Structure formats: C-alpha cells, structure tokens
Amino acid sequence: MSSRDDDILDFDFFDEEDAPAWEEPEGIEVQPVPAERGRRRRGGGLGPPRNLTPLLRLIGLIALAILVVVLLLVWVEGCTTNAKRDRNETYLAEIGAIGNASARLGQQVGTLLTTPGLSAEDLDAKLGGYVQTAETQTQRAQDLNAPGQMVVPNDGAVESLRYRANGLRGLQGAFKDAANEKDASVVGELLLAQTRRLLASDVIWTDSFQEPAKAVLANEGIEGLDVPSSQFVTTDDLVTQSSLAAIWQRIQGASTGGTSSGLHGSGIAYVKALPSGQLLSTQTETTIKVTSELAFEVGVEDTGESQEVRIKVTLTIPKQPDPIVKTQTVPIIDPGETKAVTLAVGALVPFGEQTTVKVDVDPVNGETNTANNTAEYPVIFTL
C-alpha cells in the first residue's frame, strides 16, 4: 500500500474538533448494559413481556379467592337452611303432639256425654279432670320455643287450646248451674254457649295456627313438613241446643235412679249396598255386584221420645267356615232422627248362591217394642 492510499483511508465522518463534548455528571455511575439484554431489545420483542406472568398469577389468585367465597356462602346458606328445617321440624312435632293429645281429649268429652247411665256427680268429676288436662296442654304449648317466624302461629295454637280449657270449665259450671232448672230448653242454651267455645277452638287452630304456619314454611323455602291439625269437636250433636238439652235430661234421669221420661225405642230405617246404592228388601232377592269397596249402609232411627246413645249395630253374612260379622256404634241420636253407619265388607263374600245379610240394632234402655230391631235381606253376590 502506498502513502497515497494511507492518506485516502485516514479520515473521520465527523471532525474531531466539531464533535460535541459529553461529560458524565459527577457522582453518577453509568451501569453497563448486559449484552444479552441488548440483544433482546434488538430482537423486535419476539417473546411476551416479562410483567405479564405476575399479572396472570394475580388474576388467578383473585379468581380462586372469589370461588372460595362463593363456595363458602353456598355452604353457609345450606347449613342455615338445614338448621331452619331441623328447628321447624322439631317444633312441629312438639306442637303436633300437644294438638293430638287435645283432639283425643275432645273425643273423651264426646264419649263422656254419650255414656249411658251417666250421673251428674260422675259428669262433674270427669269434666273437672278434663279441665286440668286442657290447662296443662295450654301451658305446654305456651312454653314451646317456637323458631323464628313460628312465634306468631304458636300464639294461635295457644289461643285455640285456651278456648278449649275455658269451654270445658264453662261446661262444667253450666251443668252445675242447671241442677235445679226445670226447662230443658233453657239448659240447652246455657250448655250451647260453652260448647260454642269448643267449636271456635277448631276454627282458631286452623285459621290462626295451621294456615300461618304453612305460610312461614313457604316463605322460608322449607318443603316436606306437615303442619298438624287438631279437631276437638267431632260431632254436631254437641253443638246444638236440642241435643244438649236432651243430654241434660238423660243425665238428670240417671241421677235420679232411672231413665229420662217418655217412650224409648230404636229400629232399622233402611239398608243399602255400597257403592251401588241398592236398597235391600226383606221380601225380594237383591243381586249385588261385588267389588273391593263393598259395604252396607244401615240407617238407624230413634223411634222414641228420648235421646239415645251408644246404639250398637251388627251386620252378619253367613259364610263357611266363619261368618262375616261387622259392628258399628251410633254415638248419639235424638228423637225422630235417623243416622247412618257404614259397615265395610270387601270382596270376600260367598258367590253364586243365595245368602242373607242380617242386621241387628241393639234395643235401648226402656225399649219395649223390638220388632224392628232385626231384619234379614236375601241377596246373591256376583262378580
């Protein structure tokens, strides 16, 4: 290479004299850029930014936290619902037991008032015990720890039971006050005023306990629980003036060592097959189609002038080796009244041959004419 060539190659793009002076500020140390970092910057960003991974981790943690909270809320809600159901189920079982006991007490009262030969002294003693029982039942209901919104329906149940206790107490007092009364209709009105409380107690139980309790369960989304019923008065004969007057007359007669005055009698008014409704005849054979629901309805009539109670009705169908025998009882019947009892038989009857359906109505105390207390009806049972 010649000296001329050296002169040609020996030059700068910028004149060294014109180049700007650059001095580092005092106290600042410039860190060298790593070669690898420089290469990534020059590579045009082919990989994801380094700050994206922490962001994704944060989003995942937030989603996980939300899921945990949601699951926790669902679990807590489920536990709360189960706890509500358990508390309500326990309460309904407790108030139901009280209601059932009260209903049985009502049946006992009805049985007492229809007991043949019942004296005024026995009546007073029995009613006194019933009053104490009713008051105990009222207190038991009042002491229940009704859950949540069930407090209001429970107050309704307590009110119903209180009406029953007051009605029984008033009934006991009315019988005492009527001891020297001569007019049976007046006594009937006195007794009716008390038995109306017993009848009202059934309405209160339904309207102030049952329906509100059902509404509470519906509002709280609780299904599958039954709200118990409780019926104290099971027969209309205890809530009519005439029947109550006749009950008093009968008890007065027993208290004086006899029966109430007037004629006494009972008899068979009719017999019909169910469900067909065919009337049976003692003179003409009746063909009866047999079903599993076969039964016989017997109409019993009070043919006397006095109220009668506990009239036993027996139906017999001859069959080998053992006859079919069914019984029912008419609890109470007033003079001139006809009451029906149903005796279920079913399909196990003798087929294809003539047989009989025999009906017997037990004579009442003081009855002298028993000709219409027994009858036989010729029948043929077919499929």
Side-chain angles (χ1 to χ4, degrees):
M1 181 179 294
S2 63
S3 59
R4 178 178 175 83
D5 294 331
D6 292 335
D7 292 337
I8 293 174
L9 296 175
D10 189 16
F11 69 93
D12 290 317
F13 285 104
F14 299 99
D15 190 1
E16 291 181 1
E17 293 181 358
D18 296 334
W22 182 268
E23 295 182 1
E24 297 291 342
E26 294 182 3
I28 297 178
E29 181 178 356
V30 178
Q31 298 293 331
V33 177
E36 182 180 355
R37 181 176 176 183
R39 285 193 299 270
R40 284 200 301 267
R41 288 181 178 178
R42 289 192 300 269
L46 296 177
R50 287 192 62 192
N51 61 351
L52 185 58
T53 299
L55 178 61
L56 292 176
R57 288 177 180 173
L58 178 60
I59 293 174
L61 289 175
I62 293 174
L64 179 61
I66 292 174
L67 178 61
V68 170
V69 171
V70 170
L71 292 177
L72 183 61
L73 290 176
V74 171
W75 178 77
V76 170
E77 183 179 359
C79 291
T80 302
T81 301
N82 291 336
K84 282 184 178 180
R85 180 186 174 83
D86 291 343
R87 288 194 298 270
N88 281 279
E89 185 175 16
T90 299
Y91 164 73
L92 290 176
E94 293 172 341
I95 192 64
I98 297 172
N100 289 337
S102 181
R104 288 193 298 270
L105 180 61
Q107 294 173 353
Q108 291 174 331
V109 172
T111 300
L112 175 66
L113 295 177
T114 59
T115 300
L118 178 67
S119 66
E121 292 76 13
D122 291 340
L123 174 66
D124 183 67
K126 287 285 188 180
L127 285 178
Y130 293 161
V131 169
Q132 293 180 1
T133 301
E135 290 176 343
T136 300
Q137 292 168 349
T138 304
Q139 189 60 50
R140 284 178 57 200
Q142 196 166 4
D143 292 341
L144 288 180
N145 185 20
Q149 300 178 42
M150 281 294 181
V151 171
V152 174
N154 189 71
D155 290 341
V158 171
E159 185 69 7
S160 172
L161 296 170
R162 185 176 292 116
Y163 262 69
R164 294 173 181 180
N166 291 340
L168 290 174
R169 189 183 302 106
L171 195 62
Q172 182 186 23
F175 272 111
K176 286 182 178 180
D177 295 340
N180 299 320
E181 182 61 54
K182 303 301 181 183
D183 190 342
S185 62
V186 173
V187 177
E189 286 294 336
L190 291 174
L191 298 176
L192 181 60
Q194 305 307 320
T195 58
R196 280 174 177 162
R197 286 189 171 91
L198 304 179
L199 186 62
S201 74
D202 292 344
V203 178
I204 294 172
W205 185 278
T206 300
D207 291 354
S208 298
F209 168 68
Q210 269 192 294
E211 295 305 320
K214 291 178 182 178
V216 169
L217 295 178
N219 290 338
E220 295 188 353
I222 300 174
E223 298 179 351
L225 296 183
D226 294 327
V227 178
S229 61
S230 180
Q231 186 173 356
F232 195 87
V233 179
T234 58
T235 174
D236 293 338
D237 295 307
L238 301 182
V239 288
T240 64
Q241 186 268 345
S242 59
S243 291
L244 290 168
I247 288 174
W248 174 78
Q249 287 179 315
R250 179 170 45 81
I251 293 173
Q252 287 296 101
S255 299
T256 57
T259 58
S260 57
S261 61
L263 296 175
H264 293 267
S266 61
I268 302 170
Y270 65 87
V271 177
K272 65 170 65 173
L274 300 177
S276 65
Q278 294 169 277
L279 283 172
L280 273 58
S281 170
T282 58
Q283 305 297 324
T284 305
E285 181 181 88
T286 305
T287 300
I288 301 174
K289 186 176 181 179
V290 176
T291 71
S292 60
E293 299 176 352
L294 177 63
F296 292 91
E297 178 181 302
V298 178
V300 179
E301 182 182 7
D302 185 340
T303 59
E305 298 174 346
S306 302
Q307 183 186 75
E308 307 297 345
V309 295
R310 304 283 186 86
I311 303 176
K312 183 180 178 182
V313 180
T314 304
L315 182 142
T316 305
I317 300 175
K319 181 185 177 183
Q320 295 298 331
D322 299 313
I324 299 171
V325 180
K326 303 292 181 179
T327 61
Q328 281 286 4
T329 300
V330 178
I332 184 172
I333 186 170
D334 290 333
E337 185 180 14
T338 297
K339 287 197 170 181
V341 294
T342 300
L343 302 104
V345 173
L348 300 179
V349 295
F351 287 96
E353 60 184 33
Q354 187 184 75
T355 186
T356 59
V357 173
K358 182 183 178 184
V359 176
D360 295 289
V361 174
D362 285 3
V364 299
N365 291 335
E367 184 171 1
T368 58
N369 179 18
T370 60
N372 60 346
N373 288 75
T374 299
E376 293 189 9
Y377 303 88
V379 299
I380 291 182
F381 294 109
T382 63
L383 293 175

Coordinates of all heavy atoms in Angstrom, one line a residue, residues 50-118:
R50 N -42.0 -9.4 30.2 CA -41.7 -10.1 31.5 C -42.8 -9.8 32.5 O -43.1 -10.7 33.4 CB -40.4 -9.7 32.0 CG -39.2 -10.3 31.2 CD -37.9 -10.0 31.9 NE -37.9 -10.7 33.2 CZ -37.0 -10.5 34.1 NH1 -36.1 -9.6 34.0 NH2 -37.1 -11.2 35.3
N51 N -43.5 -8.7 32.5 CA -44.5 -8.3 33.6 C -45.9 -9.0 33.4 O -46.8 -8.8 34.1 CB -44.7 -6.8 33.7 CG -45.2 -6.3 32.3 OD1 -45.3 -7.0 31.3 ND2 -45.6 -5.0 32.4
L52 N -46.1 -9.8 32.3 CA -47.4 -10.5 32.0 C -47.6 -11.7 33.0 O -48.7 -11.9 33.4 CB -47.4 -11.0 30.6 CG -48.8 -11.6 30.1 CD1 -49.9 -10.6 30.3 CD2 -48.6 -12.1 28.7
T53 N -46.6 -12.4 33.3 CA -46.7 -13.6 34.2 C -47.2 -13.2 35.6 O -48.1 -13.8 36.1 CB -45.4 -14.3 34.3 OG1 -45.0 -14.8 33.0 CG2 -45.5 -15.6 35.2
P54 N -46.6 -12.2 36.3 CA -47.2 -11.8 37.6 C -48.6 -11.4 37.5 O -49.4 -11.6 38.4 CB -46.3 -10.7 38.0 CG -45.0 -10.9 37.2 CD -45.4 -11.5 35.9
L55 N -49.0 -10.7 36.4 CA -50.4 -10.3 36.2 C -51.3 -11.5 36.1 O -52.4 -11.5 36.8 CB -50.5 -9.4 35.0 CG -51.9 -8.9 34.6 CD1 -52.4 -8.0 35.8 CD2 -51.9 -8.2 33.3
L56 N -50.9 -12.5 35.4 CA -51.8 -13.7 35.3 C -51.9 -14.4 36.6 O -52.9 -14.9 37.0 CB -51.2 -14.7 34.2 CG -51.2 -14.2 32.8 CD1 -50.5 -15.2 31.8 CD2 -52.7 -14.0 32.3
R57 N -50.8 -14.4 37.3 CA -50.8 -15.0 38.7 C -51.8 -14.3 39.6 O -52.6 -14.9 40.3 CB -49.4 -15.0 39.3 CG -48.5 -16.0 38.6 CD -47.1 -15.9 39.2 NE -46.2 -16.9 38.6 CZ -44.9 -16.9 38.9 NH1 -44.3 -16.0 39.7 NH2 -44.1 -17.8 38.3
L58 N -51.8 -13.0 39.5 CA -52.7 -12.2 40.3 C -54.1 -12.4 40.0 O -55.0 -12.6 40.9 CB -52.3 -10.7 40.1 CG -53.2 -9.7 40.9 CD1 -53.1 -10.0 42.4 CD2 -52.9 -8.3 40.6
I59 N -54.4 -12.5 38.7 CA -55.8 -12.8 38.2 C -56.3 -14.1 38.7 O -57.4 -14.3 39.2 CB -55.9 -12.7 36.7 CG1 -55.7 -11.2 36.2 CG2 -57.3 -13.2 36.2 CD1 -55.6 -11.1 34.7
G60 N -55.4 -15.1 38.6 CA -55.7 -16.5 39.1 C -56.0 -16.5 40.6 O -56.9 -17.2 41.1
L61 N -55.2 -15.8 41.4 CA -55.4 -15.7 42.8 C -56.8 -15.1 43.1 O -57.5 -15.5 44.0 CB -54.3 -15.0 43.5 CG -52.9 -15.7 43.5 CD1 -51.8 -14.8 44.1 CD2 -53.1 -17.0 44.3
I62 N -57.1 -14.0 42.4 CA -58.4 -13.3 42.6 C -59.5 -14.2 42.3 O -60.5 -14.3 43.1 CB -58.4 -12.0 41.8 CG1 -57.4 -11.0 42.3 CG2 -59.8 -11.4 41.9 CD1 -57.3 -9.8 41.5
A63 N -59.4 -14.9 41.2 CA -60.5 -15.9 40.8 C -60.7 -17.0 41.8 O -61.8 -17.4 42.2 CB -60.2 -16.5 39.4
L64 N -59.5 -17.5 42.3 CA -59.6 -18.5 43.3 C -60.2 -18.0 44.6 O -61.1 -18.7 45.2 CB -58.2 -19.1 43.6 CG -58.1 -20.2 44.7 CD1 -58.9 -21.4 44.2 CD2 -56.6 -20.5 44.9
A65 N -59.9 -16.8 45.0 CA -60.5 -16.2 46.2 C -62.0 -16.0 46.0 O -62.8 -16.3 47.0 CB -59.8 -14.9 46.5
I66 N -62.4 -15.6 44.8 CA -63.9 -15.4 44.6 C -64.6 -16.8 44.7 O -65.6 -16.9 45.2 CB -64.1 -14.8 43.2 CG1 -63.6 -13.3 43.2 CG2 -65.6 -14.8 42.8 CD1 -63.6 -12.6 41.9
L67 N -64.0 -17.8 44.1 CA -64.6 -19.1 44.1 C -64.7 -19.6 45.6 O -65.7 -20.2 45.9 CB -63.7 -20.1 43.3 CG -64.2 -21.6 43.3 CD1 -65.6 -21.7 42.7 CD2 -63.2 -22.4 42.5
V68 N -63.7 -19.4 46.3 CA -63.7 -19.8 47.8 C -64.8 -19.1 48.5 O -65.6 -19.7 49.3 CB -62.3 -19.6 48.4 CG1 -62.5 -19.8 49.9 CG2 -61.3 -20.5 47.9
V69 N -65.0 -17.8 48.3 CA -66.0 -17.0 48.9 C -67.4 -17.5 48.5 O -68.3 -17.7 49.3 CB -65.8 -15.5 48.6 CG1 -67.1 -14.7 49.1 CG2 -64.6 -15.0 49.2
V70 N -67.6 -17.8 47.2 CA -68.9 -18.3 46.7 C -69.2 -19.6 47.3 O -70.3 -19.8 47.8 CB -68.9 -18.4 45.2 CG1 -70.1 -19.1 44.7 CG2 -68.8 -17.0 44.5
L71 N -68.2 -20.5 47.3 CA -68.5 -21.8 47.9 C -68.8 -21.7 49.4 O -69.6 -22.5 49.9 CB -67.3 -22.8 47.7 CG -67.0 -23.2 46.2 CD1 -65.7 -24.0 46.1 CD2 -68.2 -24.0 45.7
L72 N -68.1 -20.8 50.1 CA -68.3 -20.6 51.5 C -69.7 -20.1 51.7 O -70.4 -20.6 52.7 CB -67.3 -19.6 52.1 CG -67.4 -19.4 53.6 CD1 -67.2 -20.7 54.3 CD2 -66.4 -18.3 54.0
L73 N -70.2 -19.2 50.9 CA -71.5 -18.6 51.0 C -72.6 -19.7 50.8 O -73.6 -19.8 51.5 CB -71.7 -17.4 50.1 CG -70.9 -16.2 50.4 CD1 -71.2 -15.1 49.3 CD2 -71.4 -15.6 51.7
V74 N -72.3 -20.5 49.8 CA -73.3 -21.6 49.5 C -73.3 -22.6 50.6 O -74.4 -23.1 51.0 CB -72.9 -22.4 48.2 CG1 -73.7 -23.6 48.0 CG2 -73.0 -21.4 47.0
W75 N -72.2 -22.9 51.2 CA -72.1 -23.9 52.3 C -72.8 -23.3 53.5 O -73.6 -24.0 54.2 CB -70.7 -24.2 52.6 CG -70.5 -25.1 53.8 CD1 -70.7 -26.4 53.9 CD2 -70.1 -24.7 55.2 NE1 -70.5 -26.9 55.1 CE2 -70.1 -25.9 56.0 CE3 -69.8 -23.4 55.7 CZ2 -69.8 -25.8 57.3 CZ3 -69.5 -23.4 57.1 CH2 -69.5 -24.6 57.9
V76 N -72.6 -22.0 53.8 CA -73.2 -21.4 55.0 C -74.7 -21.3 54.8 O -75.5 -21.6 55.7 CB -72.7 -19.9 55.2 CG1 -73.5 -19.2 56.2 CG2 -71.2 -20.0 55.6
E77 N -75.2 -21.0 53.5 CA -76.6 -20.9 53.2 C -77.2 -22.3 53.4 O -78.3 -22.5 53.9 CB -76.8 -20.4 51.8 CG -78.3 -20.2 51.5 CD -78.5 -19.7 50.1 OE1 -77.5 -19.4 49.4 OE2 -79.7 -19.5 49.7
G78 N -76.5 -23.3 52.9 CA -77.1 -24.7 53.1 C -77.2 -25.1 54.5 O -78.2 -25.7 54.9
C79 N -76.1 -24.8 55.3 CA -76.2 -25.1 56.7 C -77.3 -24.3 57.4 O -78.0 -24.9 58.3 CB -74.9 -24.7 57.4 SG -73.5 -25.8 56.9
T80 N -77.5 -23.1 57.0 CA -78.6 -22.3 57.6 C -80.0 -22.8 57.3 O -80.8 -23.0 58.1 CB -78.5 -20.8 57.1 OG1 -77.2 -20.3 57.4 CG2 -79.6 -20.0 57.8
T81 N -80.2 -23.3 56.0 CA -81.4 -23.8 55.6 C -81.7 -25.1 56.3 O -82.8 -25.4 56.8 CB -81.4 -24.1 54.0 OG1 -81.2 -22.8 53.4 CG2 -82.7 -24.7 53.6
N82 N -80.7 -26.0 56.4 CA -80.8 -27.3 57.1 C -81.2 -27.0 58.6 O -82.0 -27.7 59.2 CB -79.6 -28.1 57.0 CG -79.4 -28.6 55.6 OD1 -80.3 -28.7 54.8 ND2 -78.1 -28.9 55.2
A83 N -80.5 -26.0 59.2 CA -80.8 -25.7 60.6 C -82.2 -25.2 60.8 O -82.9 -25.6 61.7 CB -79.8 -24.7 61.1
K84 N -82.6 -24.4 59.8 CA -84.0 -23.9 59.9 C -85.0 -25.0 59.8 O -86.0 -25.1 60.5 CB -84.3 -22.9 58.8 CG -83.7 -21.5 59.0 CD -84.2 -20.5 57.9 CE -83.7 -19.1 58.2 NZ -84.1 -18.2 57.1
R85 N -84.8 -25.9 58.9 CA -85.7 -27.1 58.7 C -85.7 -27.9 59.9 O -86.8 -28.4 60.4 CB -85.2 -27.9 57.5 CG -86.1 -29.1 57.2 CD -85.5 -30.0 56.1 NE -86.3 -31.2 56.0 CZ -87.5 -31.3 55.3 NH1 -87.9 -30.2 54.7 NH2 -88.1 -32.4 55.2
D86 N -84.5 -28.2 60.5 CA -84.5 -29.0 61.7 C -85.2 -28.4 62.8 O -86.0 -29.1 63.6 CB -83.0 -29.3 62.1 CG -82.3 -30.2 61.1 OD1 -82.9 -30.8 60.3 OD2 -81.0 -30.2 61.1
R87 N -85.0 -27.1 63.0 CA -85.7 -26.4 64.1 C -87.2 -26.4 63.9 O -88.0 -26.7 64.9 CB -85.2 -25.0 64.3 CG -83.8 -24.8 64.8 CD -83.5 -23.4 65.2 NE -83.6 -22.5 64.1 CZ -82.6 -22.1 63.4 NH1 -81.4 -22.7 63.6 NH2 -82.7 -21.3 62.4
N88 N -87.7 -26.2 62.7 CA -89.1 -26.2 62.4 C -89.7 -27.6 62.5 O -90.8 -27.8 63.0 CB -89.4 -25.6 61.0 CG -89.4 -24.1 61.0 OD1 -90.3 -23.4 61.4 ND2 -88.2 -23.5 60.6
E89 N -88.9 -28.6 62.1 CA -89.4 -30.0 62.2 C -89.6 -30.4 63.6 O -90.6 -31.0 64.0 CB -88.4 -30.9 61.5 CG -88.9 -32.3 61.4 CD -88.0 -33.2 60.6 OE1 -86.8 -32.8 60.3 OE2 -88.4 -34.3 60.2
T90 N -88.6 -30.0 64.5 CA -88.7 -30.3 65.9 C -89.9 -29.6 66.5 O -90.7 -30.2 67.3 CB -87.4 -29.9 66.6 OG1 -86.3 -30.6 66.0 CG2 -87.5 -30.2 68.1
Y91 N -90.1 -28.4 66.2 CA -91.2 -27.6 66.8 C -92.6 -28.2 66.3 O -93.5 -28.4 67.2 CB -91.1 -26.1 66.3 CG -92.4 -25.4 66.6 CD1 -92.8 -25.1 67.8 CD2 -93.3 -25.1 65.5 CE1 -94.1 -24.4 68.1 CE2 -94.5 -24.4 65.7 CZ -94.9 -24.1 67.0 OH -96.1 -23.5 67.2
L92 N -92.7 -28.5 65.0 CA -94.0 -29.0 64.6 C -94.3 -30.4 65.2 O -95.5 -30.7 65.4 CB -94.0 -29.1 63.0 CG -94.0 -27.8 62.3 CD1 -93.8 -28.0 60.8 CD2 -95.2 -27.0 62.6
A93 N -93.3 -31.2 65.5 CA -93.5 -32.4 66.1 C -94.0 -32.2 67.6 O -94.9 -32.9 68.0 CB -92.2 -33.3 66.1
E94 N -93.4 -31.2 68.2 CA -93.8 -30.9 69.6 C -95.3 -30.4 69.7 O -96.1 -30.8 70.5 CB -92.8 -29.9 70.2 CG -91.4 -30.5 70.4 CD -90.4 -29.5 70.9 OE1 -90.7 -28.3 70.7 OE2 -89.4 -29.9 71.4
I95 N -95.6 -29.4 68.9 CA -96.9 -28.8 68.9 C -97.9 -29.8 68.3 O -99.1 -29.8 68.8 CB -97.0 -27.5 68.1 CG1 -98.3 -26.7 68.4 CG2 -96.8 -27.7 66.6 CD1 -98.4 -26.3 69.8
G96 N -97.5 -30.7 67.4 CA -98.4 -31.7 66.9 C -98.8 -32.7 68.0 O -99.9 -33.2 68.0
A97 N -97.8 -33.0 68.9 CA -98.1 -34.0 69.9 C -99.1 -33.4 70.9 O -100.0 -34.1 71.4 CB -96.8 -34.3 70.7
I98 N -99.0 -32.1 71.2 CA -100.0 -31.4 72.0 C -101.3 -31.3 71.4 O -102.4 -31.6 72.0 CB -99.5 -30.0 72.4 CG1 -98.1 -30.1 73.2 CG2 -100.5 -29.2 73.2 CD1 -97.5 -28.7 73.4
G99 N -101.3 -31.0 70.1 CA -102.6 -31.0 69.3 C -103.3 -32.3 69.3 O -104.5 -32.4 69.4
N100 N -102.5 -33.4 69.1 CA -103.1 -34.7 69.0 C -103.7 -35.1 70.4 O -104.8 -35.7 70.5 CB -102.1 -35.7 68.6 CG -101.7 -35.6 67.2 OD1 -102.5 -35.1 66.3 ND2 -100.5 -36.1 66.8
A101 N -103.0 -34.7 71.5 CA -103.5 -35.0 72.8 C -104.8 -34.3 73.1 O -105.7 -34.8 73.7 CB -102.4 -34.7 73.8
S102 N -104.8 -33.0 72.6 CA -106.0 -32.2 72.8 C -107.2 -32.8 72.0 O -108.4 -32.8 72.5 CB -105.8 -30.8 72.3 OG -106.9 -30.0 72.5
A103 N -106.9 -33.3 70.8 CA -108.0 -33.9 70.0 C -108.5 -35.2 70.7 O -109.7 -35.4 70.7 CB -107.5 -34.2 68.6
R104 N -107.6 -35.9 71.3 CA -108.1 -37.1 72.0 C -108.9 -36.7 73.2 O -109.9 -37.4 73.6 CB -106.9 -38.0 72.4 CG -106.2 -38.7 71.3 CD -105.2 -39.7 71.8 NE -104.1 -39.1 72.6 CZ -103.0 -38.7 72.1 NH1 -102.8 -38.8 70.8 NH2 -102.1 -38.2 72.9
L105 N -108.6 -35.6 73.8 CA -109.4 -35.1 74.9 C -110.8 -34.8 74.5 O -111.8 -35.0 75.2 CB -108.7 -33.9 75.6 CG -109.4 -33.2 76.8 CD1 -109.6 -34.2 77.9 CD2 -108.7 -32.0 77.2
G106 N -110.9 -34.2 73.3 CA -112.2 -33.9 72.7 C -113.0 -35.1 72.5 O -114.2 -35.2 72.7
Q107 N -112.4 -36.2 72.0 CA -113.1 -37.5 71.9 C -113.5 -38.0 73.2 O -114.6 -38.6 73.3 CB -112.1 -38.5 71.2 CG -111.8 -38.1 69.7 CD -110.7 -39.0 69.1 OE1 -110.2 -39.9 69.8 NE2 -110.5 -38.9 67.8
Q108 N -112.7 -37.9 74.2 CA -113.1 -38.3 75.6 C -114.3 -37.6 76.1 O -115.2 -38.1 76.7 CB -111.9 -38.2 76.5 CG -110.8 -39.1 76.2 CD -109.6 -38.9 77.1 OE1 -109.4 -37.7 77.5 NE2 -108.8 -39.9 77.4
V109 N -114.4 -36.3 75.8 CA -115.5 -35.5 76.2 C -116.8 -36.0 75.5 O -117.9 -36.1 76.1 CB -115.3 -34.0 75.9 CG1 -116.6 -33.2 76.2 CG2 -114.2 -33.4 76.8
G110 N -116.7 -36.2 74.2 CA -117.8 -36.7 73.4 C -118.3 -38.1 74.0 O -119.5 -38.4 74.1
T111 N -117.3 -39.0 74.3 CA -117.7 -40.3 74.9 C -118.3 -40.1 76.2 O -119.3 -40.8 76.5 CB -116.4 -41.1 75.0 OG1 -115.8 -41.3 73.7 CG2 -116.7 -42.5 75.6
L112 N -117.8 -39.2 77.0 CA -118.4 -39.0 78.3 C -119.9 -38.6 78.2 O -120.8 -39.1 78.9 CB -117.6 -37.9 79.1 CG -118.2 -37.5 80.4 CD1 -118.1 -38.6 81.5 CD2 -117.5 -36.2 81.0
L113 N -120.2 -37.6 77.3 CA -121.5 -37.1 77.2 C -122.5 -38.1 76.6 O -123.7 -37.9 76.7 CB -121.5 -35.8 76.4 CG -120.8 -34.6 77.1 CD1 -120.8 -33.4 76.2 CD2 -121.4 -34.3 78.4
T114 N -122.0 -39.1 76.0 CA -122.8 -40.2 75.4 C -122.8 -41.5 76.2 O -123.1 -42.5 75.6 CB -122.4 -40.4 73.9 OG1 -121.1 -40.8 73.8 CG2 -122.6 -39.1 73.1
T115 N -122.3 -41.4 77.4 CA -122.3 -42.6 78.2 C -123.6 -42.9 78.8 O -124.2 -42.1 79.6 CB -121.2 -42.4 79.4 OG1 -119.9 -42.2 78.8 CG2 -121.1 -43.7 80.2
P116 N -124.2 -44.1 78.6 CA -125.4 -44.5 79.2 C -125.3 -44.5 80.7 O -124.3 -45.0 81.3 CB -125.7 -45.9 78.6 CG -124.9 -46.0 77.4 CD -123.7 -45.2 77.7
G117 N -126.4 -44.1 81.4 CA -126.4 -44.1 82.8 C -125.5 -43.1 83.5 O -125.2 -43.3 84.7
L118 N -124.9 -42.2 82.8 CA -124.0 -41.2 83.4 C -124.8 -40.3 84.4 O -125.8 -39.7 84.1 CB -123.4 -40.3 82.4 CG -122.4 -39.2 82.8 CD1 -121.2 -39.8 83.4 CD2 -122.1 -38.3 81.6

